Amino acid sequence: MELTISGIKEREKWESVGVSLPNYDIEAKRENTKESPEWVHFGAGNIFRGFIGGIADTLMEKGELSTGIIATDSFDGEIIDRIYEPFDMLTLSVGLKPDGNSVKKVTAGIADAVKADNDHLDELLAIASKESLKMISFTITEKGYACTDISGNTLPFVEEDITNGPKKPTTAMGIVTSMLYARFKAGAAKIALVSMDNCSQNGKKLRDGVLFVAKKWQKKGFVTEEFVDYISDEEVVAFPWSMIDKITPRPDDSIASELKELGIENMDPIITARHTYIAPFVNAEIPEYLVIEDSFPNGRPPLEDAGVYMTDRDTVNKAEKMKVMTCLNPLHTALAITGCLLGYKKISEEMQDEDLKNLVYKLGEEGMPVVISPGIINPEDFIKEVLEERLPNPYLPDTPQRIATDTSQKLAIRFGETIRGYVQKGEEDNMRIIPFVLAAWLRYLIGVDDEGNKMELSPDPMLDVLRGALEDVTLGNTQDDMSGVNWILSKEELFGINIFETDDMNGKIKKHFSEMLEGPGAVRRALKKLVSE
């Protein structure tokens, strides 16, 4: 069986092995998309294919959406060459249940894929110029919106976009701003730009990135003031906020083998030259949440009919804080950092470690006092599902190494608000777990695991700078100079607060850090001591 349009016409074969197929006319939806595109998405990776693409597929099945999503990617065009085009834009979604069973479904919510590069820019500009376009959504990770570094300097690749102007952008922010300029020149039709990335106030980050590029282009004479006014008016160009949640790990070889045993061909995962791990299938957990601010000036699909919570900005903000700052993401980061140090390769296996299990349970308890319920989702029920069902799922092939990617970009969001909440209440000394996790991150940056072996660190845009600050810190020497630690802890950009100026937090982090540097096994001893107190 082949995962292609012609291949899935052999319905009986697919359904006999438990794979459900689309029941709508895929070709007709794609023709409609060419004529009247409604939805473009930046970021063609696993979370998009396994979740967002599935939303469109659900609405198509219900007869409530006549067009599919046009996928594009400015970071890794190889995805489109090797995963999209050979499989006719189809996705085989594999939902992994904690009992070992899975839900397999071919989805066709993605109607087309276009590389976001200079060779294909005209195609994207033409799509953007059509009044039918209602939304452009994004899953490009938080760093995809960044235009400046930690010191406020314009990033080199963004500077190139500013110098080259709207005709030769290469970054996601440059390309989408160029698309908006084409739309402005074609009649200034309304539109919504929806960040669906897992970061705080994602709509604001997207808006700031677009306006940063647009204003720089205006100063250079590439665009007019009227264009900047157009994208500044959220009644015309909206940037709704959202909260997304679905654990979508890298494709697992065991899942590929299972699919091949069922007779499905060409399921092997690939690693692109840009180090993207991807496959024709997406393996993911079953639970999924998407909460979106209902601000769509040019209309929108009935997303709520596919399980999306459509609400106001305040509710989105509360839901995002609940998840990103307390009930899931901080727990994930804690498991990632400590899991790497202790040699774990799966998140679920960490949840069988009593010390680590106690760590994340206590971390959840520490964050709950500052959580405000969003109303649409109960925080207690949410964190219970995370701790008892989602993180321990042995069939979800998620790794601490994947979660540890870009940790420097996540700490302010995942811990900063909770730290600030405790500090403002004058209860800073009540925090016990967060200081330990941040100390473990510093220990992680040394690049040596708890047995004293060299450890490969996950990609992070700040890695060289941070490791440079700690270059004189070594395992086995607890009297090392702490000047580099002081510099790191003083960076509000990293933590959302200047920890160096908070006596209690500052002292606790350094104490834990020193304990973890005592020698091999010191991380485990410090962890066991913490959770047993």
Side-chain angles (χ1 to χ4, degrees):
M1 293 178 286
E2 290 186 348
L3 184 63
T4 60
I5 295 295
S6 61
I8 63 172
K9 289 179 179 177
E10 298 183 291
R11 296 188 68 92
E12 290 185 3
K13 288 184 178 180
W14 288 87
E15 291 170 353
S16 69
V17 295
V19 180
S20 60
L21 301 173
N23 292 302
Y24 50 85
D25 188 334
I26 298 172
E27 287 90 345
K29 300 287 188 184
R30 294 184 174 184
E31 283 301 317
N32 292 340
T33 305
K34 288 180 182 178
E35 292 296 321
S36 302
E38 297 181 76
W39 187 348
V40 171
H41 184 91
F42 274 77
N46 293 318
I47 185 70
F48 165 63
R49 295 168 63 234
F51 189 2
I52 312 306
I55 290 171
D57 180 78
T58 297
L59 294 176
M60 288 179 178
E61 285 283 5
K62 292 186 173 187
E64 297 178 355
L65 187 61
S66 61
T67 62
I69 305 174
I70 300 171
T72 189
D73 201 293
S74 60
F75 176 75
D76 197 343
E78 191 178 345
I79 295 173
I80 292 172
D81 289 335
R82 299 181 64 184
I83 295 298
Y84 278 74
E85 292 179 353
F87 300 95
D88 292 341
M89 266 60 74
L90 300 175
T91 300
L92 176 53
S93 292
V94 182
L96 304 171
K97 296 182 177 181
D99 63 4
N101 292 316
S102 62
V103 178
K104 302 178 184 69
K105 181 180 182 182
V106 172
T107 63
I110 303 167
D112 198 5
V114 181
K115 290 182 184 179
D117 57 25
N118 287 164
D119 291 339
H120 300 85
L121 181 62
D122 287 345
E123 190 173 349
L124 290 173
L125 299 184
I127 294 167
S129 298
K130 294 202 174 187
E131 190 174 353
S132 61
L133 190 65
K134 293 179 170 64
M135 62 188 291
I136 303 175
S137 55
F138 301 78
T139 50
I140 57 176
T141 75
E142 185 168 4
K143 63 185 177 184
Y145 305 102
C147 292
T148 58
D149 62 20
I150 196 169
S151 301
N153 302 311
T154 303
L155 294 168
F157 44 87
V158 177
E159 191 64 58
E160 287 183 22
D161 273 9
I162 292 167
T163 300
N164 294 332
K167 293 183 178 180
K168 288 187 177 181
T170 59
T171 67
M173 292 300 94
I175 292 167
V176 74
T177 306
S178 183
M179 291 171 68
L180 288 173
Y181 188 47
R183 190 170 183 81
F184 169 74
K185 292 189 293 183
K190 297 179 179 181
I191 194 168
L193 275 67
V194 190
S195 170
M196 297 179 180
D197 269 301
N198 182 24
C199 56
S200 178
Q201 301 183 6
N202 48 21
K204 181 180 184 301
K205 285 181 169 57
L206 172 55
R207 186 173 190 266
D208 288 347
V210 168
L211 283 170
F212 182 90
V213 174
K215 289 177 179 179
K216 294 287 187 180
W217 280 349
Q218 182 196 352
K219 286 184 179 180
K220 288 185 171 290
F222 289 123
V223 303
T224 63
E225 183 179 353
E226 288 75 17
F227 168 63
V228 176
D229 292 341
Y230 163 70
I231 59 174
S232 298
D233 185 355
E234 289 209 60
E235 296 291 321
V236 179
V237 180
F239 295 84
W241 296 12
S242 75
M243 184 278 276
I244 191 169
D245 180 26
K246 185 177 180 74
I247 299 174
T248 311
R250 294 169 177 171
D252 191 75
D253 288 336
S254 66
I255 305 295
S257 297
E258 177 189 343
L259 296 174
K260 284 187 279 187
E261 287 176 8
L262 295 177
I264 305 172
E265 301 173 29
N266 303 316
M267 287 291 107
D268 292 322
I270 66 165
I271 305 174
T272 70
R274 300 297 301 270
H275 304 291
T276 301
Y277 292 72
I278 199 162
F281 66 90
V282 175
N283 46 227
E285 63 175 348
I286 300 292
E288 57 188 27
Y289 299 85
L290 182 57
V291 184
I292 302 179
E293 177 189 357
D294 199 355
S295 179
F296 290 77
N298 198 31
R300 62 170 175 80
L303 300 170
E304 62 273 22
D305 290 347
V308 180
Y309 296 91
M310 303 303 299
T311 185
D312 56 73
R313 180 171 291 188
D314 184 58
T315 302
V316 172
N317 197 35
K318 289 176 181 176
E320 183 268 333
K321 286 183 177 180
M322 175 201 73
K323 179 245 178 179
V324 176
M325 300 178 184
T326 300
C327 294
L328 175 60
N329 297 84
L331 314 186
H332 242 164
T333 292
L335 288 172
I337 294 165
T338 53
C340 289
L341 286 168
L342 295 176
Y344 280 100
K345 300 299 181 184
K346 286 186 71 174
I347 293 290
S348 60
E349 291 174 356
E350 290 190 70
M351 291 300 287
Q352 303 303 311
D353 183 314
E354 285 301 313
D355 293 336
L356 291 174
K357 182 178 177 180
N358 284 334
L359 178 73
V360 291
Y361 268 80
K362 289 176 181 291
L363 178 58
E365 292 172 3
E366 191 164 278
M368 288 302 287
V370 300
V371 171
I372 300 174
S373 174
I376 57 175
I377 304 170
N378 181 281
E380 287 78 13
D381 292 342
F382 186 89
I383 197 168
K384 182 179 180 182
E385 180 185 59
V386 167
L387 289 168
E388 296 182 3
E389 299 177 31
R390 298 174 65 184
L391 295 180
N393 185 345
Y395 299 97
L396 191 65
D398 209 2
T399 69
Q401 291 73 25
R402 182 186 80 90
I403 302 299
T405 300
D406 300 336
T407 297
S408 71
Q409 308 298 292
K410 302 170 181 175
L411 295 174
I413 310 303
R414 301 186 178 190
F415 299 103
E417 191 74 14
T418 301
I419 295 171
R420 193 179 299 109
Y422 271 89
V423 170
Q424 289 173 349
K425 290 180 180 180
E427 299 176 356
E428 179 188 345
D429 59 337
N430 291 335
M431 279 187 294
R432 297 177 53 253
I433 310 302
I434 292 176
F436 179 88
V437 173
L438 296 182
W441 178 60
L442 295 174
R443 172 65 181 80
Y444 165 87
L445 291 171
I446 304 303
V448 177
D449 68 18
D450 197 33
E451 294 182 356
N453 301 316
K454 186 176 181 180
M455 176 179 66
E456 183 179 354
L457 302 185
S458 300
D460 189 309
M462 289 288 295
L463 201 57
D464 290 343
V465 173
L466 294 165
R467 283 177 56 78
L470 299 173
E471 63 181 350
D472 295 327
V473 179
T474 56
L475 186 63
N477 185 357
T478 59
Q479 302 302 313
D480 285 316
D481 182 5
M482 284 283 181
S483 60
V485 173
N486 293 338
W487 180 82
I488 292 173
L489 294 180
S490 72
K491 292 300 178 183
E492 188 170 344
E493 299 90 341
L494 285 174
F495 304 102
I497 187 170
N498 185 330
I499 292 178
F500 183 63
E501 294 179 349
T502 63
D503 292 338
D504 192 79
M505 276 285 289
N506 182 25
K508 283 179 179 176
I509 291 172
K510 289 177 181 174
K511 177 176 177 292
H512 288 309
F513 184 50
S514 293
E515 289 175 346
M516 295 181 203
L517 287 171
E518 289 177 355
V523 174
R524 172 64 74 177
R525 291 193 295 273
L527 172 62
K528 192 175 290 291
K529 177 183 175 183
L530 177 78
V531 299
S532 62
E533 290 177 349

